Amino acid sequence: MGRLDWKTHGRFNANYETTDIMATLRGRQTEIGERVEYYRFSHTDPNGDDLYDEGTGQGKIFVGPYRIPALHVVHNQGPAHDTTQGLYTVDNLSVTASFDALRKMGFTDQDIDHQKYLTDRIVYDDSVFRVTSISILGQIQNRDIIVGLECVQMKPDELVNDAQFSRWSQKS
């Protein structure tokens, strides 16, 4: 670790520390971490609707899957809600990963600032989840280190128009 006193030069600066942290996180993720499949919504799809970011013709187009190594994944089984159609459950997914892993798939700070991730999808435990929020959980001198992704399960009827997820739209 770097010195916390007045010395501002030398080997142990913020850049050295964050680079070392990223390398350590990559090692941990590779050895004992889990992986999620991340699909990015194609904002440049020529068939997409400009106003609503919805696909036309073949449905929405996603780029991926990117196999993201995660530090920790929590899949929470949702409670049963009694509706007029019967019991309805929605699971939640929390993923903790290094920002470096997301950056390698082209993710930037701007994607978080402008909430471009809101149309992205994650596949985990043979279920499809919609990304609802991304939080920066750790930062050193404005350099993002750890991120948390919160997701909500998508039901088969929500996936019918997305050709890439047709396998999951057939589930009952």
Side-chain angles (χ1 to χ4, degrees):
M1 280 285 146
R3 290 177 53 171
L4 298 177
D5 60 4
W6 59 271
K7 186 178 176 182
T8 59
H9 59 281
R11 183 172 82 153
F12 298 111
N13 57 22
N15 187 44
Y16 175 86
E17 296 293 341
T18 54
T19 302
D20 196 41
I21 289 169
M22 292 294 190
T24 303
L25 290 175
R26 275 192 300 276
R28 183 188 186 283
Q29 291 169 156
T30 303
E31 292 301 317
I32 59 174
E34 296 192 52
R35 295 191 183 275
V36 297
E37 291 184 353
Y38 197 103
Y39 292 82
R40 302 232 27 216
F41 177 70
S42 176
H43 291 277
T44 59
D45 175 28
N47 295 324
D49 185 285
D50 293 335
L51 183 59
Y52 297 107
D53 270 346
E54 291 187 2
T56 57
Q58 295 180 343
K60 297 176 191 164
I61 304 296
F62 293 87
V63 179
Y66 297 98
R67 291 184 49 91
I68 303 295
L71 295 166
H72 191 65
V73 180
V74 178
H75 181 182
N76 291 319
Q77 303 293 326
H81 299 284
D82 195 11
T83 66
T84 55
Q85 291 84 16
L87 292 178
Y88 188 79
T89 62
V90 177
D91 294 353
N92 295 309
L93 185 73
S94 296
V95 179
T96 305
S98 71
F99 188 72
D100 191 44
L102 294 177
R103 185 179 293 127
K104 287 184 178 179
M105 64 173 226
F107 213 84
T108 65
D109 296 325
Q110 292 294 75
D111 293 327
I112 296 173
D113 291 342
H114 295 118
Q115 299 178 336
K116 289 185 178 180
Y117 58 83
L118 289 174
T119 47
D120 294 349
R121 305 286 184 258
I122 288 181
V123 173
Y124 182 77
D125 270 352
D126 203 33
S127 296
V128 179
F129 296 87
R130 178 176 48 89
V131 180
T132 57
S133 71
I134 295 180
S135 305
I136 304 301
L137 303 177
Q139 197 175 60
I140 296 177
Q141 289 189 349
N142 295 328
R143 192 170 175 188
D144 300 337
I145 305 293
I146 305 288
V147 294
L149 295 90
E150 296 299 322
C151 310
V152 174
Q153 182 184 17
M154 297 187 71
K155 294 298 186 176
D157 60 330
E158 297 174 289
L159 300 168
V160 251
N161 294 325
D162 299 336
Q164 287 173 282
F165 300 105
S166 62
R167 182 179 122 200
W168 291 278
S169 68
Q170 306 302 317
K171 289 184 171 190
S172 55

